[in-house]
Amino acid sequence: MNQPSAAQEPLDMPEELRHELAEHLERRVNVDVTDILTSITREIPELAVDAELRALATDAIKSAYRSLSTVLLMETTGDGPLAAAGEAVVRRLADQNVAADIIETVFLNASRVFVKDVVADAVEVLPTELISRMLPALVDLVFAQLISRNRRLISAFTDRERWRQRRSDATLQTRIRSVLAGDITDDAIASRLLGHPVSAWNLATVVRPRYDADAAVSRLERRLSKAVPESQILVIDMLEDTVVLWVSSQSQPTGRRWAEQLRKDDSLVGAFGEPGRGIAGFVRTYEQAMAAFRVVTASAAGPSAADYGEIAPLTFMLQAPGRTNHWLRATLGALAAPGDDAERLRFTLRHYLASGENASITASHLYIHRNTVNYRITQAIEMLPEGLDGHRTDVALALDLLAWIPDVADAADTAGK
């Protein structure tokens, strides 16, 4: 028996009846969502506690009713919103390692409720003499859409599975390392080997998930896709606990503090390089991201995300920690000591220097009185071995180092004893 295909022509139904049936289905949107979600959560208990997943499932269910309503009115097939919402649910479920057969059961349950509602509404709306003629065509239309969409949803799941397999593909990892090592220098060859447009603009980020690894990386990938339109993203597990994402685009990604994309999710620690074009940019942005990542992960007490551009000098300091500690003590003296009092003075002096030594601006940024700023600055400068005059750049850099890697203060204090 041939599968029904989605009707492209209006049903042979009087226009006023089509409008009435469409209105009935629209009213179902908010009435049945709760019942359907209850049915779904019997199969996937995570939905009961995962607010984001429940919201996505709700969108998928509402889109199903609305899209069939528009089909009945023959304005559009309405595939877009339903497909997007449904595929978002599937991606989320796949990231939670839910099996494909469970996903299929979930959408089958939702489809049964949906078909039952359509039939019930049609019986209520249609005159008795039209039911026997119109109902089979209407049910064929519903099944055609559901069959098509469920196929797309399961396809989305298998695509996600391939995404996860590609992330850990040993052959791809080896090829990427060859590119990073300089063994491959031709843009076209590298692009072909990696299946990724290396010749375009590239932006790399190195991240370490604290928990819920697949879901966290997936969320970051979606945010980057939105932030860089028409981009392609290569995701790879470079080390056991480290994931690298390269965002490639034909236009240069500019004017953004990329670390904000990481700070939106407390399950990720990581850093971004700066955009670079071609294979040289592909390598350079990764090296910058790795260097910044080492700064971010050098201390559990420091910030969890950074752009290379904001901490570039600090990345070089980590290459010689002994000399860095000696320089830190010589530059800050007692101001490098551990403890809340010294930290408060360093914090104020750092903002003071960043504001161009403007006490009023500093007070406004820190929400304290201008006199308090002046008092703290005087105290901080008195603790510097050689004062501030002639040493502003060194002092500002040392304060940045302690802000990003607070543990260095302890090491410097120990080294000075």
Side-chain angles (χ1 to χ4, degrees):
M1 179 178 175
N2 294 331
Q3 298 282 11
S5 59
Q8 297 299 314
E9 298 297 328
L11 291 171
D12 184 18
M13 182 188 299
E15 185 174 353
E16 65 276 10
L17 292 179
R18 283 195 288 112
H19 277 274
E20 186 176 350
L21 181 54
E23 289 173 0
H24 270 248
L25 289 171
E26 284 282 1
R27 287 197 291 271
R28 292 277 186 183
V29 168
N30 295 315
V31 174
D32 279 359
V33 164
T34 301
D35 291 340
I36 294 176
L37 283 176
T38 300
S39 171
I40 292 176
T41 52
R42 293 193 190 103
E43 301 294 336
I44 302 185
E46 291 93 333
L47 269 172
V49 295
D50 191 326
E52 183 180 351
L53 192 51
R54 285 182 64 84
L56 289 171
T58 300
D59 287 344
I61 295 165
K62 288 183 176 181
S63 295
Y65 283 106
R66 287 174 176 146
S67 64
L68 184 58
S69 299
T70 55
V71 167
L72 289 169
L73 297 175
M74 290 303 116
E75 296 169 0
T76 172
T77 60
D79 281 342
L82 178 58
E87 288 170 16
V89 175
V90 169
R91 283 196 304 269
R92 178 91 173 169
L93 295 175
D95 291 336
Q96 293 185 355
N97 297 319
V98 178
D101 57 340
I102 297 295
I103 291 178
E104 203 161 17
T105 301
V106 165
F107 286 98
L108 179 60
N109 286 349
S111 298
R112 285 171 177 162
V113 176
F114 185 46
V115 173
K116 174 180 68 66
D117 285 346
V118 172
V119 171
D121 282 350
V123 170
E124 182 179 342
V125 169
L126 296 175
T128 304
E129 64 274 13
L130 287 181
I131 291 178
S132 60
R133 179 166 62 86
M134 294 303 311
L135 201 54
L138 182 59
V139 171
D140 279 353
L141 173 61
V142 173
F143 274 119
Q145 290 193 36
L146 291 175
I147 288 169
S148 172
R149 285 161 182 163
N150 285 344
R151 282 200 195 108
R152 291 175 64 176
L153 294 175
I154 298 305
S155 174
F157 175 82
T158 55
D159 287 346
R160 205 64 190 164
E161 284 292 280
R162 283 194 291 270
W163 172 83
R164 295 174 63 182
Q165 291 169 4
R166 179 175 165 82
R167 271 180 51 186
S168 58
D169 183 89
T171 301
L172 180 59
Q173 291 172 347
T174 300
R175 290 175 176 176
I176 288 177
R177 289 192 175 94
S178 295
V179 172
L180 296 177
D183 298 335
I184 301 170
T185 57
D186 183 271
D187 287 7
I189 293 175
S191 298
R192 187 164 59 252
L193 284 174
L194 304 186
H196 186 75
V198 171
S199 57
W201 281 94
N202 302 284
L203 175 69
T205 178
V206 179
V207 297
R208 176 181 295 161
R210 289 172 168 148
Y211 54 87
D212 197 13
D214 284 345
V217 173
S218 179
R219 287 193 296 269
L220 175 60
E221 183 189 23
R222 292 196 294 271
R223 286 197 298 272
L224 292 176
S225 294
K226 292 180 181 178
V228 185
E230 299 180 2
S231 60
Q232 294 186 45
I233 300 182
L234 174 62
V235 185
I236 191 75
D237 297 329
M238 291 296 285
L239 298 172
E240 183 178 352
D241 61 347
T242 305
V243 181
V244 183
L245 298 88
W246 277 274
V247 183
S248 296
S249 173
Q250 293 304 315
S251 56
Q252 181 179 5
T254 57
R256 225 174 237 283
R257 296 185 63 184
W258 296 103
E260 294 301 323
Q261 299 295 329
L262 292 173
R263 295 187 180 109
K264 293 176 181 178
D265 195 333
D266 62 6
S267 65
L268 289 173
V269 175
F272 280 88
E274 296 182 327
R277 188 170 182 83
I279 194 169
F282 182 87
V283 174
R284 185 171 61 253
T285 186
Y286 166 76
E287 291 175 342
Q288 292 172 343
M290 276 300 300
F293 180 73
R294 285 191 283 269
V295 173
V296 169
T297 55
S299 171
S304 62
D307 291 317
Y308 175 78
E310 62 182 320
I311 58 171
L314 309 186
T315 65
F316 301 107
M317 292 182 177
L318 288 186
Q319 298 175 17
R323 285 172 17 191
T324 297
N325 287 339
H326 179 76
W327 169 83
L328 188 66
R329 169 61 66 190
T331 303
L332 296 182
L335 193 58
D340 293 342
D341 292 341
E343 183 180 357
R344 186 180 303 109
L345 295 179
R346 291 195 301 266
F347 181 76
T348 306
L349 180 57
R350 183 171 180 245
H351 280 269
Y352 177 73
L353 293 174
S355 71
E357 301 182 37
N358 187 311
S360 297
I361 293 176
T362 304
S364 175
H365 286 172
L366 302 185
Y367 300 101
I368 57 178
H369 196 277
R370 187 175 183 276
N371 291 342
T372 303
V373 171
N374 288 328
Y375 176 72
R376 290 182 185 176
I377 296 302
T378 299
Q379 282 189 306
I381 292 175
E382 288 176 351
M383 297 172 72
L384 296 173
E386 299 184 31
L388 189 59
D389 291 343
H391 304 284
R392 282 171 170 78
T393 300
D394 282 354
V395 170
L397 192 56
L399 292 172
D400 280 347
L401 178 62
L402 284 178
W404 282 94
I405 313 176
D407 300 2
V408 175
D410 300 332
D413 189 57
T414 301
K417 294 180 180 179

